[in-house]
Amino acid sequence: MTPDVPLHLAAALRRRDHLLSPWPWRALAYLATTLPVAAPLSIGLLVVGAPLMAVLNTVRQDRPVELPIVVFLTVVALLVLASAPVVSLAVAVVERWRLRLVDPRPLHRPRYTGLVARYTSAAAWREVGHTFLLGGLVPLAYWLLFMLVLLDATLIASPWLASGNDPVIVVWTTIDTPRQAIPYAAVGVLCVPALLYLAVLLAAGQATAARWLLDGSVDTTALREVTRSRARLVDAYEAERRRIERDVHDGAQPRLTSLTLQLGLARLDVPDDSPAARPLAVAHEQAKGLMVTLRQIVQGIRPQNLTELGLAGAVRELAGAATIPVDVRADLGQPLPEVVETTAYFVVSESLGNVARHARAGRAEVRLTRSAGRLVVEIEDDGCGDADPARGSGLTGLADRVAAVDGRLLLSSPPGGPTLVRVELPCPR
């Protein structure tokens, strides 16, 4: 089974094997590239605090305050503060690019209509807040991490440091010989994974704060209302779908079955050479055809095999009916919500139909995994690739169906293949 790949560093931290994955290296690269950005910003914050430090220093030394110097430093500090919205624009551009090291998810970039917008829009001041965070709290956190790393490096190197004539102070004790330093060196080696985890945790916290401050999305109140409206729409659709399915199954379908049976009995009573025999036979065949059509309509509303077998079983049935070999790998655990199950089923059905019609593939694979509150559906084939939603391949309709339940559809289909359709659906535990 293909494991569910974390989408960002904070999600990778929840996995037990994340220290063995590429994420720690990406986190260290993120931390290392922070230094050349944060260092100049720290100097700017020191300039802002220079007037206060000058006043405190003169008071501490019991000297009169030199007013011209304080005024000059205050003016410089105010100029630095006034330029913060402009400087933060460049910092935000760099930070959105760097954030992809630990969080490749796209960020919404606000559009500014002139210099005035840099001083009046909420998104711009959030970028200013991120700039002050990067120049103030981040260097402090990095300094603490550096001191811990330096302490651990001292513990590990203590046997070599103690090999000279002078005693070595390690943490809270004095070491005279390399043998005395061996336990401390062992503790230092054991602390390396903990320090690595701490560094990754620091990178994840910084990235989370950066995403929250730099994501220039629309107003959250309106977004919550849209989400609630969409949820109501989906719930209403599901209720209406169940009503139609019940009415067709309990009302129209039994009557049509009875009509087909009565026409069949009438054909038996009418001689073959009767003028009514042929019209009666045509009516009987049309009734049987209508029965098939009605079953297909009911199945299109909610497939019966999905109700009886569940998502994994229904997908395996779809795979068995495909024109090419299809492997199905499912790891779902608990039952799924009905709307999620139905959406996932139609995603697989439509995707396998696209493979059969357009991909010229030799085989395909369907993977169903449930992890971190999401159902992930992946359909991969070894066909010719180059799938384009603009050419009417049904992908646009699938994306709309997925978006209706607050999910998203991702497509990878380079020319020459392979093609991968990945759908992520919210699936609360």
Side-chain angles (χ1 to χ4, degrees):
M1 183 186 66
T2 302
D4 185 20
V5 179
L7 296 178
H8 51 90
L9 181 60
L13 278 172
R14 293 192 286 266
R15 299 172 65 95
R16 296 180 180 178
D17 60 344
H18 80 276
L19 289 180
L20 303 177
S21 68
W23 286 106
W25 298 105
R26 299 176 69 167
L28 292 177
Y30 181 66
L31 295 178
T33 56
T34 299
L35 295 176
V37 180
L41 297 177
S42 299
I43 296 175
L45 286 182
L46 289 177
V47 171
V48 172
L52 179 61
M53 289 187 293
V55 172
L56 292 177
N57 187 47
T58 54
V59 171
R60 184 176 61 85
Q61 296 179 359
D62 196 19
R63 292 188 294 111
V65 178
E66 298 182 6
L67 189 59
I69 296 178
V70 173
V71 171
F72 173 76
L73 293 177
T74 303
V75 171
V76 173
L78 291 176
L79 290 176
V80 171
L81 286 175
S83 65
V86 179
V87 173
S88 65
L89 177 61
V91 174
V93 171
V94 174
E95 287 299 292
R96 289 190 179 98
W97 178 78
R98 282 196 329 111
L99 192 60
R100 292 183 293 181
L101 285 170
V102 291
D103 193 345
R105 294 175 297 174
L107 278 173
H108 181 274
R109 300 186 180 186
R111 295 182 179 180
Y112 301 107
T113 57
L115 184 62
V116 176
R118 293 299 306 170
Y119 292 87
T120 57
S121 65
W125 284 106
R126 290 174 68 177
E127 292 176 354
V128 172
H130 173 263
T131 301
F132 277 89
L133 174 69
L134 200 60
L137 293 181
V138 168
L140 178 61
Y142 280 31
W143 181 81
L144 293 175
L145 178 64
F146 173 74
M147 295 303 296
L148 291 175
V149 172
L150 185 61
L151 176 61
D152 191 64
T154 304
L155 290 175
I156 296 174
S158 58
W160 291 273
L161 296 175
S163 59
N165 296 325
D166 298 329
V168 177
I169 299 176
V170 177
V171 190
W172 58 83
T173 187
T174 302
I175 297 174
D176 298 316
T177 64
R179 179 173 294 181
Q180 293 177 342
I182 290 178
Y184 296 97
V187 172
V189 172
L190 293 176
C191 287
V192 170
L195 285 176
L196 180 58
Y197 184 87
L198 184 61
V200 174
L201 189 64
L202 176 60
Q206 181 183 336
T208 301
R211 167 169 284 276
W212 181 74
L213 290 170
L214 298 179
D215 189 6
S217 301
V218 296
D219 182 68
T220 54
T221 304
L223 184 60
R224 284 195 296 268
E225 179 59 31
V226 169
T227 303
R228 287 196 297 267
S229 299
R230 181 165 56 187
R232 290 194 297 267
L233 181 62
V234 171
D235 291 341
Y237 165 77
E238 282 299 304
E240 186 66 13
R241 180 195 60 76
R242 286 192 292 269
R243 185 191 66 79
I244 295 174
E245 182 182 6
R246 183 176 62 252
D247 291 347
V248 171
H249 185 273
D250 298 340
Q253 195 168 358
R255 293 184 182 182
L256 187 56
T257 302
S258 176
L259 175 61
T260 304
L261 180 61
Q262 293 297 327
L263 290 174
L265 294 175
R267 288 184 64 184
L268 296 177
D269 294 336
V270 175
D272 293 340
D273 57 352
S274 172
R278 181 170 177 77
L280 192 59
V282 172
H284 188 213
E285 293 300 323
Q286 290 179 346
K288 290 193 293 184
L290 186 57
M291 280 285 296
V292 174
T293 301
L294 192 59
R295 290 195 191 98
Q296 292 174 347
I297 293 174
V298 173
Q299 186 177 18
I301 298 174
R302 168 78 177 179
Q304 189 64 27
N305 56 354
L306 186 59
T307 303
E308 296 174 352
L309 305 176
L311 180 60
V315 168
R316 289 190 177 95
E317 193 170 276
L318 283 175
T323 56
I324 60 172
V326 179
D327 296 328
V328 178
R329 302 185 182 185
D331 181 19
L332 299 178
Q334 300 176 353
L336 301 168
E338 187 175 295
V339 62
V340 173
E341 198 174 54
T342 304
T343 303
Y345 176 86
F346 282 113
V347 165
V348 175
S349 178
E350 180 67 22
S351 298
L352 291 181
N354 287 339
V355 171
R357 289 190 296 269
H358 308 296
R360 300 197 296 274
R363 64 184 307 108
E365 183 178 16
V366 179
R367 298 183 289 270
L368 307 170
T369 55
R370 184 176 183 176
S371 176
R374 292 179 298 129
L375 173 65
V376 179
V377 182
E378 294 180 318
I379 304 95
E380 186 172 9
D381 66 75
D382 60 357
C384 60
D386 200 23
D388 185 1
R391 291 201 294 262
S393 59
L395 292 171
T396 303
L398 276 184
D400 292 341
R401 181 187 285 269
V402 170
V405 293
D406 203 20
R408 66 174 185 166
L409 184 146
L410 307 173
L411 173 67
S412 172
S413 185
T419 296
L420 172 65
V421 176
R422 178 186 172 98
V423 170
E424 300 171 0
L425 303 172
C427 187
R429 298 178 185 274

